[in-house]
Amino acid sequence: MRLLKDKILKEGIALNREVLKVDSFLNHQIDPILMKKIGEEFSDYFKNYNIDKIVTIETSGVVPAVFVALNLNVPLVFAKKSLPGTLREGFYSEKVFSFTKNKTYDCIVSKKFINSNENILIIDDFLAHGNAALALSKIIEKAEAKVSGIGIVIEKGFQQGRSILEERGYEIFSLARIEKMDKGEIVFFD
Ligand code: 5GP
């Protein structure tokens, strides 16, 4: 997606070879026009997948996921990273290791929001080592629903997330794939 790549080149900051800071348009301040376009790109790609629901994880996955949900006219469920005091009924839970924060957190979804046989599209802001998407896909499968695709805003293609998820049979569609990066340099695959 040209617009997104240009934005990354203009405003993204590679903190090192592993972590990209995009807090001026995706992770802290939000560019709503770009988010609208991101929603259109994903929904255009997945429009014939009969998606019943979008699933993401708080916090940064929520904004792009809302725009996809709006375009596909389906509900969005976002996994919580801590157990809400109000969540009394059953829930699914998986552990996720975050390499950017160097800690493990929970990924929690109420059982009442994922139904068996639903076609679910996972959306997230980044794909790195695949841990967040993997935890979401395990929850979806525990609920006997189907992971119909994984939509990623920024994929870091030099980390192993894609291969881990593809090994499990999931299709990944990314809007920007970074081949390599370092301070002052970001290179895309195409
Ligand atoms: P994974 O679980 O695939 O290792 O990492 C995905 C999650 O970690 C995303 O939900 C995102 O919040 C965070 N993340 C991974 N890499 C980056 C990065 O380079 N920059 C930022 N800002 N977040 C990242």
Side-chain angles (χ1 to χ4, degrees), residues 134-146:
L134 194 59
L136 292 175
S137 65
K138 283 182 183 167
I139 286 175
I140 291 163
E141 285 172 0
K142 270 190 208 167
E144 297 178 359
K146 183 181 166 213

Side-chain angles (χ1 to χ4, degrees), residues 3 15 31 49 59 81 84 109 117 122-124 126 141 154 161 173 178:
L3 190 69
L15 296 179
D31 178 339
Y49 284 56
T59 307
K81 288 183 176 167
V109 179
N117 301 320
I122 294 174
I123 295 287
D124 206 3
F126 272 94
E141 285 172 0
I154 304 173
F173 173 63
I178 297 175

Side-chain angles (χ1 to χ4, degrees), residues 128-131 134 160-170 172:
H129 297 272
N131 298 320
L134 194 59
Q160 83 272 29
R162 175 175 283 269
S163 56
I164 286 171
L165 296 169
E166 282 182 344
E167 259 168 40
R168 288 176 66 101
Y170 305 135
I172 302 156

Side-chain angles (χ1 to χ4, degrees), residues 15 18-23 27 57-61 81 96-101 105 124-134 152 154 156 158-159 161 165 181:
L15 296 179
E18 307 256 299
V19 180
L20 178 66
K21 189 170 166 171
V22 286
D23 62 352
N27 288 151
I57 183 161
E58 65 177 353
T59 307
S60 301
K81 288 183 176 167
V96 181
F97 176 72
S98 165
F99 90 100
T100 49
K101 299 197 174 91
Y105 58 86
D124 206 3
D125 59 338
F126 272 94
L127 177 61
H129 297 272
N131 298 320
L134 194 59
I152 299 292
I154 304 173
K156 290 179 292 173
F158 50 88
Q159 291 166 327
L165 296 169
M181 62 184 202

Side-chain angles (χ1 to χ4, degrees), residues 50-53 114-120 140-141 143-148:
N50 295 318
I51 301 298
D52 296 304
K53 195 166 276 175
I114 304 189
N115 304 308
S116 60
N117 301 320
E118 279 182 328
N119 291 323
I120 300 205
I140 291 163
E141 285 172 0
E144 297 178 359
K146 183 181 166 213
V147 178
S148 298

Side-chain angles (χ1 to χ4, degrees), residues 26-184:
L26 181 60
N27 288 151
H28 195 7
Q29 177 171 259
I30 301 292
D31 178 339
I33 305 296
L34 180 64
M35 292 306 131
K36 185 168 177 277
K37 296 250 162 41
I38 283 173
E40 287 163 3
E41 286 279 319
F42 279 130
S43 47
D44 214 37
Y45 185 85
F46 288 108
K47 63 178 182 288
N48 297 322
Y49 284 56
N50 295 318
I51 301 298
D52 296 304
K53 195 166 276 175
I54 311 293
V55 169
T56 188
I57 183 161
E58 65 177 353
T59 307
S60 301
V62 176
V63 176
V66 168
F67 283 87
V68 187
L70 189 64
N71 274 285
L72 290 177
N73 196 21
V74 295
L76 159 67
V77 176
F78 67 90
K80 306 254 187 183
K81 288 183 176 167
S82 57
L83 187 62
T86 50
L87 184 51
R88 301 278 157 82
E89 62 278 350
F91 57 87
Y92 301 106
S93 177
E94 286 289 329
K95 296 274 178 214
V96 181
F97 176 72
S98 165
F99 90 100
T100 49
K101 299 197 174 91
N102 195 26
K103 67 172 193 186
T104 299
Y105 58 86
D106 292 308
C107 175
I108 296 164
V109 179
S110 168
K111 285 192 173 174
K112 75 177 176 203
F113 293 131
I114 304 189
N115 304 308
S116 60
N117 301 320
E118 279 182 328
N119 291 323
I120 300 205
L121 172 60
I122 294 174
I123 295 287
D124 206 3
D125 59 338
F126 272 94
L127 177 61
H129 297 272
N131 298 320
L134 194 59
L136 292 175
S137 65
K138 283 182 183 167
I139 286 175
I140 291 163
E141 285 172 0
K142 270 190 208 167
E144 297 178 359
K146 183 181 166 213
V147 178
S148 298
I150 300 176
I152 299 292
V153 179
I154 304 173
E155 175 183 344
K156 290 179 292 173
F158 50 88
Q159 291 166 327
Q160 83 272 29
R162 175 175 283 269
S163 56
I164 286 171
L165 296 169
E166 282 182 344
E167 259 168 40
R168 288 176 66 101
Y170 305 135
E171 180 185 347
I172 302 156
F173 173 63
S174 307
L175 301 184
R177 285 190 78 204
I178 297 175
E179 185 183 353
K180 59 179 179 171
M181 62 184 202
D182 206 346
K183 286 180 183 156

